[in-house]
Each structure stands twice: as C-alpha cells, then as structure tokens.
Amino acid sequence: MSAPLEPRVPEKTAPVPPTPSPASILGPAYRTISVGIISVIFLIAFEATAVGTAMPVAARELDGIGLYAFAFSAYFTTSLFGMVLSGQWADREGPLRPLTGGIAAFAAGLVLAGTAGTMWVFVLGRAVQGFGGGLVIVALYVVVSRAYEERLRPAIMAAFAASWVVPSIVGPLVSGTVTEHLGWRWVFLGIPVLVVVPLVVALPAIRRAASGPVGGEGVAFDRRRIRLAFGISAGAGLLQYAAQDLRWLSLLPAAVGAALLVPAVLGLLPRGTYLARRGLPSVVLLRGVAAGSFIAAESFVPLMLVTQRGLSPTMAGFSLALGGVTWAGGSWVQSKGRVAPYRERLMVVGMVLVAAAVAAAPAVLIESVPVWTLALAWAVGCLGMGLVIGSTSVLLLKLSAPEEVGANSASLQISDALANVVLLAAGGAAFAALGGGTVGAAHAVTAGGTASHPAAFVVVFLPMACVALVGAWVATRLEPAPASAAE
C-alpha cells in the first residue's frame, strides 16, 4: 500500500510591502540638508536684494556715484578667484570647508562695507564679500551633485530659485525702511546675523551626506588653475578700474588687465566656450551671457528710479519685487520632468523674454510712462531668467563626470561672474562717459526733478538687450553634438 496523501498546506507568502512613494527633496532622506542649503541661498538672496536697494544712498553719501558700477562688479571680480579655489578645494576635501570659509568671508565683507568711511573702502568690503560668495556657490553645487540623485536636481535648483521670492519682496521693503530711518550702514551690518542659521542647520547635514573627496581619495590642487584664477581676478579688476577712470592713463591698466584676463579665461573655461561649441561649452557660455546682460542692467534700475523719477529707495527696490516671484515660477516650470524634452526651446524663449525686458526698461525715463510698467517688464525678464539659469545648472551636472563636478561648476560660475564684471565695466564706462557720475547730483535722494542725463542710462540698457539676444542663439546649441559629427 502506498502511503496516504497528506493534505496540502498552502504556503505562507510574505506580505507585499507597499510601493514607496518617490523621494522628494523634502522627504525624510533629504529634508535636513535641503532646508540647510536653501537657508544659505536665502541669505545670499536677502543680501543681494537688500544691498541693491541701499546702494544708491550709500554711493551718494560716500561721494562715489562715479564708482557705482564698481561697487557691484568688485563682488564678482573677487568671486572669480573664490570659485576656482572652491572647485579645487571641494574636489580635494569635499564641500564642507569651502562652504564654512565662504560664509565667514561673506559676513566679514558685509561688516567692512557697513563701516566704510570712503567709497573705496566700501568697494573693498564688497570684494571680500564676493570672495566668500564665490566659495559658497561652487561648494553648494558640489553638495547638490553628491547628495541628490539626478532626477531630484531640477527640483532642488527650483527650490534655490524659490528661496529668492521672500527676500525679493521683503528685502527691498526692509532695506528701504532701514535706510531711510536708521541709515544705509545697518543694511550691511544687520545681515551677518543671518549667518547663524545656515551654519547651525546646513553644515552638520552636509558633513553626513556630502563630505569628503570623491572616491575617498583626495586630488592634488591644480596650481596652474589657481594661478589662472588669480590672473582672471586681477585682470578683471584692472579692466573695471580702467573703465571707471576715463583718462588716457587708464589705457595702461586696461592693457595689463586684458593681458592677464584673456589667457586665464581660455585656460579656465571649457575649450570652445567662446566659439559656442555644442554641449558643455555652450552651456557655460549661455550662463555668462544671460547673467551678465541681466544683472548689469538690473544694477542700474534702482539708481535710475531714484535719480530720474524721484522714487524713494524703498519704492525703487520694491519695484523689482515681483521679479522674485516670476523667477521662481520660471525655475519651477523648468524643473518639471515633462518639459525636459523641450528644455532647449524653453531656454531660447527665456532669453528672448530677458532681451525684451531689458530693452523696455529705459522707457520709464519718459515722464509720461508709469513707473509700474518697469515692474511689469522686469517680472517678464525674471521669468525668462528662471527658465534659463535653472536649466543651465541642471545641464551642467548632467554633462559632468563625478570627479569633474567641482571644476565644471566653477567654470559655470566663472562665466557668470566674469560676464557680470565685463558687462558692468562696459556699462559703467558708457554711463560715466555720458555724465552718469553726476546723475542726480542736484537732487535729494527722495526728491523729484527733471533728469539731467537720461542718455547715460539708455547706453547701459540697450546694449545689454542686444547681448541677451545673442544668448537666444547660444541656447540653440546646448545639446552635445553626435559623437560622429565634426564641429
């Protein structure tokens, strides 16, 4: 007889775990580091919007209207060196130390500017501040590359842009109120208090998630690249000085500056950048063209409104507040996955919007044109910038090998800052040549009156609009060429 069949006991199956929801930048795995680094961006954003509002009053009180553009470009000049140093430093040891040192230098520069007794000391403070800002911004890009998976990077870049919204609205109002009632110095001296927040929140999270060199092995500092960084900063500074001192003797520092600047630029930026070669070179070039044309124009907006239309510093700065919202909106649009196939076209549209906004700005020099039209135009330009700036950051990280993120991020930021320096120098020289150094000299800061030199502003804005149109063409060359295709 065969053994009786035993009843079959059904096998127990393990319960199927629920499908985890897709990670987000504010999910448990990323929340702390996201809040921390966004706090750092918030600090930089608040400084930029607040300082821009106080700058016309500071320049007037320090008898430095003729150096007005230099006060902005000094920041970008020294940030060039800080960016290269930060890229090398972050690739060698991780982003923690350059980020810490950068925040400290940023705060020290604010204190120096806030206690300045002359315009040149004020410019020096802006230079120290720029060095710190250069260290910080590249270190943050390395943090994003190491701590976030690729699909989350557009979202964190959009969050960076969104962190400008509150400062762009509150910053001008707070800065203008403080400037009018307490004095412009407190705008600079009050901001360093905010350094405590990113230090407490960001650094421990970065230490856990993104510290240390790539692969556990540090790379040596590229001394040649550091020398080139010093050359690019020194050359840019000399060119800016020559642009502000319109005498024949200024040709000498201009020539020396160009001799230092040109080889440094060729050595620090990807090969083919200024030929707009497809792929990474055009991404780096577009970042400079977009940022340089827009920021060079925006730097003169508060001064134009104060001296030509008689607005108070508060209202002059507040006229740009809507731009923070639309910039964040543009960055949010580019972060959506469904627009990724159309990213190049989106960036072309963005540059056209920037060009239109910059070209429309000097219309407010006509007394019959309402001031609110500039606020509306600038909001349109900021929408375009949100589309472009966030996308260049995403494309750069996509096209960079892990061990090259620091150096390539530095190249992107160098292009940004260098374009600001060069275009501010050109705009500042044109502004000074047409009497910009005495613009508004006969008027109180808050007083109305007939503008003496409206052409000094026109020769700043219209050329920048043309530069932005060049950027629309560059935006058609961002996709890498096929491997078999010859440039």
Side-chain angles (χ1 to χ4, degrees):
M1 277 179 74
S2 59
L5 296 174
E6 297 182 356
R8 183 179 182 87
V9 179
E11 297 180 358
K12 294 183 178 180
T13 57
V16 178
T19 303
S21 58
S24 72
I25 62 172
L26 293 179
Y30 296 100
R31 184 179 299 124
T32 302
I33 193 168
S34 294
V35 171
I37 62 178
I38 289 170
S39 298
V40 177
I41 296 295
F42 183 92
L43 167 67
I44 295 174
F46 193 86
E47 178 275 337
T49 55
V51 168
T53 303
M55 193 74 77
V57 182
R60 179 74 61 82
E61 184 174 310
L62 296 174
D63 195 24
I65 290 290
L67 296 175
Y68 184 80
F70 209 173
F72 284 98
S73 63
Y75 180 100
F76 299 111
T77 299
T78 52
S79 69
L80 291 166
F81 182 76
M83 289 167 186
V84 177
L85 179 61
S86 184
Q88 295 275 306
W89 199 353
D91 283 342
R92 178 182 171 85
E93 300 180 14
L96 188 63
R97 289 185 178 179
L99 183 59
T100 306
I103 291 175
F106 188 83
L110 284 167
V111 172
L112 183 58
T115 57
T118 67
M119 192 62 177
W120 280 111
V121 175
F122 182 86
V123 170
L124 176 62
R126 292 285 292 164
V128 174
Q129 189 184 343
F131 175 71
L135 290 175
V136 168
I137 194 66
V138 172
L140 286 179
Y141 271 67
V142 177
V143 170
V144 170
S145 172
R146 296 189 184 187
Y148 295 86
E149 52 188 289
E150 183 175 342
R151 68 183 182 83
L152 292 178
R153 291 173 188 167
I156 190 64
M157 293 301 174
F160 283 0
S163 67
W164 281 76
V165 174
V166 173
S168 67
I169 296 173
V170 176
L173 180 62
V174 172
S175 176
T177 302
V178 170
T179 298
E180 291 178 32
H181 297 284
L182 298 178
W184 63 267
R185 296 182 185 278
W186 287 104
V187 174
F188 292 86
L189 297 176
I191 292 176
V193 177
L194 300 177
V195 170
V196 175
V197 175
L199 281 176
V200 171
V201 177
L203 299 186
I206 292 171
R207 183 181 291 110
R208 291 192 300 269
S211 62
V214 176
E217 298 181 0
V219 295
F221 275 104
D222 186 340
R223 295 183 179 180
R224 173 180 173 273
R225 194 170 178 85
I226 297 297
R227 287 195 300 270
L228 291 175
F230 180 78
I232 200 173
S233 291
L238 288 169
L239 280 179
Q240 179 63 38
Y241 173 78
Q244 296 298 304
D245 186 21
L246 300 178
R247 296 181 299 170
W248 286 108
L249 289 176
S250 300
L251 292 176
L252 179 59
V256 174
L260 290 171
L261 191 64
V262 172
V265 169
L266 295 176
L268 288 172
L269 299 185
R271 182 174 297 178
T273 295
Y274 288 105
L275 297 176
R277 288 183 180 169
R278 289 193 170 274
L280 185 63
S282 284
V283 172
V284 171
L285 177 60
L286 179 61
R287 179 58 166 263
V289 170
S293 59
F294 190 78
I295 299 301
E298 186 178 61
S299 298
F300 285 87
V301 169
L303 185 66
M304 179 172 65
L305 294 177
V306 168
T307 61
Q308 305 297 297
R309 296 301 299 265
L311 268 65
S312 69
T314 302
M315 293 307 298
F318 202 64
S319 66
L320 304 179
L322 182 60
V325 179
T326 57
W327 190 313
S331 190
W332 177 81
V333 169
Q334 69 80 32
S335 73
K336 301 290 105 178
R338 60 179 175 271
V339 307
Y342 312 101
R343 188 175 297 280
E344 185 176 285
R345 288 186 220 170
L346 209 63
M347 295 170 80
V348 173
V349 171
M351 289 309 304
V352 172
L353 294 179
V354 170
V358 174
V364 298
L365 293 168
I366 304 171
E367 290 288 337
S368 60
V369 175
V371 172
W372 61 261
T373 59
L374 186 145
L376 182 61
W378 220 249
V380 171
C382 286
L383 173 65
M385 289 295 287
L387 295 172
V388 173
I389 298 299
S391 291
T392 56
S393 302
V394 170
L395 288 175
L396 178 107
L397 296 178
K398 178 182 178 181
L399 297 174
S400 299
E403 67 277 6
E404 296 176 345
V405 169
N408 287 345
S409 296
S411 294
L412 187 74
Q413 298 301 326
I414 286 169
S415 178
D416 186 318
L418 181 62
N420 274 287
V421 171
V422 171
L423 292 178
L424 273 168
F431 181 74
L434 271 74
T438 58
V439 163
H443 306 292
V445 173
T446 59
T450 304
S452 301
H453 303 280
F457 292 98
V458 173
V459 296
V460 172
F461 288 99
L462 295 188
M464 299 308 158
C466 295
V467 174
L469 284 177
V470 173
W473 170 76
V474 176
T476 66
R477 301 180 56 79
L478 304 180
E479 290 297 325
S484 59
E487 278 291 315

